Amino acid sequence: MASEIAAKAQNAFVDDDFESAADLYTQAIELNPNDADLFADRAQANIKLGYFTAVADANKAIELDPSMAKAYLRKGTAFLKLEEYYSAKATLEKGSSLANDERFSKLIKECEELIAENCDLGSSESNTVIQLSDRNSENLKVAVEQQNGTHQRKEISAVNSKYRHAFFQKPEEVVVTIFAKGVPANNVTIDFGEQILSVTIDVPSEDVYHFQPRLFGKIVPDKCRYEVLSTKIEIRLAKAEPINWTTLEYTTAAVVPPKITSTTESYRPTYPSSKPKRVDWDKLEAQEKEEKLDGDAALNKFFGDIYKNADEDMRRAMNKSFIESNGTVLSTDWKDVGSKEVVGSPPDGMELKKW
């Protein structure tokens, strides 16, 4: 049954009806999910449509049959369309070692020319990549949506998925977490490109999950790694440059990502010294003045401040009233106390005595 549907898919492909071909290959895969040829052929149909789920299909074909040269051809072609020239070249070189096919050498030469061209164009080429990449990303979403609408076993993307994902970053890497609980490691396929991450979770009797973002910045595929844990999948992307990623995926906004600088660059260590520390007495005096006082100390400080800021008549009045009243009266009005003796006024319940 699967072979009959695959034959119809092949006929549709020959007639340039690539959408029908991809749809029929998906139906055949549902009946025979371990057939590497079906995944490789669907990858070819998706490349023609501009749907870059082809990378995930090619990865699955390689997983099922590591010696399948055409799976590497499909994967390399998909990377080339995604402008992942280094990844495309590496994939095609691997495939060329498995089969003597002129298509490999032709595409490898094309990759080398594009890599050299990118080096010459520099930053001007980067703007073109962003625009094309966004279009490719949109094609990927369309592909997912179309496949969702025509099959019971859907190819779902991270936009509308049961698996939530998040990321955080360090100066040298970005850590992506996909919260997929209880997923067996052998059902997870992850591939790294120069600026692409491809994640496929294919659990039997469940919808196939694809997460294939075009990344904000370049990565070093050989240094990237991942780990499937009991509650999540943790992916570590090695940055090609120590820049700050404002998002995980490409953006059309004019963003100039600042370089992340290590905190150790601006930190100057201090070392023990036998040299005696200098004491800032003015600072120490100011601190003492700011200390909160209570009780008699606070009262004495209050009167002291009054006396310090008083004029000559006020000081004379304070001295005269305080002495003549035996410390029970304190006046600042010299006109009131200057011409008479100040009589003591003890607090209620107390008796004034002269010594």
Side-chain angles (χ1 to χ4, degrees), residues 309-320:
N309 298 321
D311 57 25
E312 187 62 28
D313 286 342
M314 290 178 64
R315 290 182 178 180
R316 290 168 61 193
M318 291 176 70
N319 287 330
K320 185 174 185 297

Side-chain angles (χ1 to χ4, degrees), residues 199-243:
V199 181
T200 302
I201 302 176
D202 190 359
V203 178
S205 73
E206 294 185 11
D207 295 335
V208 179
Y209 168 87
H210 285 306
F211 180 43
Q212 189 173 314
R214 183 77 174 180
L215 299 171
F216 181 89
K218 297 275 187 183
I219 60 174
V220 183
D222 292 341
K223 294 183 179 180
C224 298
R225 62 192 188 278
Y226 71 93
E227 186 177 5
V228 180
L229 305 173
S230 60
T231 59
K232 63 183 179 180
I233 300 170
E234 190 171 87
I235 306 166
R236 295 184 176 272
L237 306 174
K239 293 181 180 179
E241 293 182 282
I243 60 174

Side-chain angles (χ1 to χ4, degrees), residues 3-22:
S3 59
E4 294 177 4
I5 297 176
K8 292 180 181 179
Q10 181 62 32
N11 291 334
F13 186 89
V14 172
D15 293 337
D16 292 340
D17 188 358
F18 304 123
E19 289 190 8
S20 296

Side-chain angles (χ1 to χ4, degrees), residues 59-71:
N59 281 335
K60 185 63 176 179
I62 293 169
E63 179 187 342
L64 294 170
D65 186 358
S67 63
M68 179 179 285
K70 74 173 180 180

Side-chain angles (χ1 to χ4, degrees), residues 37 116 149:
D37 282 302

